[in-house]
Amino acid sequence: MGWSPALATLDTDPQTWVAAQAGGALEAVFATVAAIRAETAALLHRVTAQDRRPASADLAALRPGLHGHLTREDLVSGAGFVAAPGLLSDVPAWLEWWQSGGEGEIRPLLLDLDPGQSAYADYTHWDWFALPRDTGRRAVAGPYVDYLCSDEYSLTLSEPVRIRGRFAGVAAADVYLRHFETAVLPLLRRLDRPAHLVNARGRVAASADPAHLAGSLTKGPEFGALLTGGRPGTYDGMRLVPCGGVPLVLVLA
């Protein structure tokens, strides 16, 4: 047992091609997240340039951009900025979050974040917040049942937002798992052995392998380290292929 890197072939093999295509299915979503991160960082810089701390009301300036992102990107079901505790002057926690409804309407997510009453008041332990905070890199969290926003099985893509070198929160977007599976399952089924996709924690994001269902955990190496290296490898008989710049790994039985 143990992980070992493998050199890429000169020609793109089917596994590498499928990994790249599967990652590409989320690149447009990450482009949306990157735009939200840039818009949020610019807003926070403007506020701090006034020699004051930002308040929740300042984040309303993000709304036109968020509405536009939700309208333009088909895979995105929700998007916004989640503030780090202590960032804002008037509230301990805040989600500037908007969602697309079933009829195409765009509506805000309204949450009770009172730490004395709400189970959602501390969101800092959730992967979509903790991974970007702890690694400084973008992340794919889930799939999980998103009780916070939609009660749908979802993925959340996120990136850290920094202001003057300090972590300020995350920019993020939600993707319903059923939409992601529609995009990637035909790719996984083209391979000659059972295959599934895992995130940096080893959680299965989509699967054409009945032994590894979506949402379950795959035992393996430190997938985050494999993603950082960006090179295919093997572990305990499994073939592992990073999905380009997207933090997912293609795992083949």
Side-chain angles (χ1 to χ4, degrees):
M1 190 178 291
W3 175 79
S4 62
L7 293 175
T9 59
L10 292 176
D11 298 320
T12 301
D13 60 82
Q15 298 168 4
T16 302
W17 183 85
V18 167
Q21 294 297 308
L26 291 183
E27 275 295 354
V29 180
F30 268 122
T32 294
V33 174
I36 296 169
R37 175 186 52 76
E39 292 158 6
T40 305
L43 171 64
L44 296 177
H45 276 292
R46 289 196 300 270
V47 172
T48 56
Q50 300 170 12
D51 198 27
R52 67 179 179 88
R53 287 174 61 195
S56 57
D58 292 310
L59 300 180
L62 298 173
R63 293 172 187 175
L66 294 175
H67 294 182
H69 295 311
L70 286 166
T71 300
R72 289 189 295 270
E73 180 50 54
D74 290 340
L75 273 181
V76 175
S77 59
F81 169 66
V82 184
L87 174 72
L88 303 177
S89 61
D90 58 329
V91 289
W94 188 263
L95 289 85
E96 186 60 47
W97 196 265
W98 293 75
Q99 301 168 280
S100 294
E103 302 299 322
E105 74 279 9
I106 296 173
R107 59 179 187 267
L109 174 66
L110 302 176
L111 287 176
D112 177 6
L113 294 177
D114 182 344
Q117 301 183 44
S118 174
Y120 305 119
D122 180 14
Y123 43 69
T124 61
H125 61 285
W126 292 22
D127 277 357
W128 49 261
F129 191 92
L131 279 169
R133 178 196 61 200
D134 297 344
T135 67
R137 297 189 297 271
R138 62 186 186 173
V140 175
Y144 60 98
V145 179
D146 190 0
Y147 294 114
L148 191 67
C149 298
S150 64
D151 291 335
E152 283 259 5
Y153 220 32
S154 301
L155 301 171
T156 300
L157 284 61
S158 55
E159 290 189 6
V161 176
R162 303 188 70 82
I163 178 72
R164 295 184 177 179
R166 298 183 62 183
F167 175 73
V170 300
D174 284 339
V175 175
Y176 291 151
L177 180 64
R178 52 190 168 88
H179 293 161
F180 180 59
E181 287 182 324
T182 297
V184 301
L185 284 181
L187 296 168
L188 299 180
R189 290 170 179 150
R190 295 179 63 163
L191 296 167
D192 60 1
R193 47 180 162 154
H196 60 283
L197 297 165
V198 303
N199 67 12
R201 300 278 201 210
R203 190 165 299 280
V204 179
S207 179
D209 182 350
H212 297 275
L213 301 179
S216 65
L217 286 171
T218 293
K219 293 182 180 180
E222 175 52 59
F223 288 106
L226 176 66
L227 288 166
T228 300
R231 299 173 63 194
T234 58
Y235 180 89
D236 197 21
M238 296 183 296
R239 170 77 168 167
L240 310 174
V241 186
C243 296
V246 169
L248 290 175
V249 177
L250 174 66
V251 181
L252 298 110

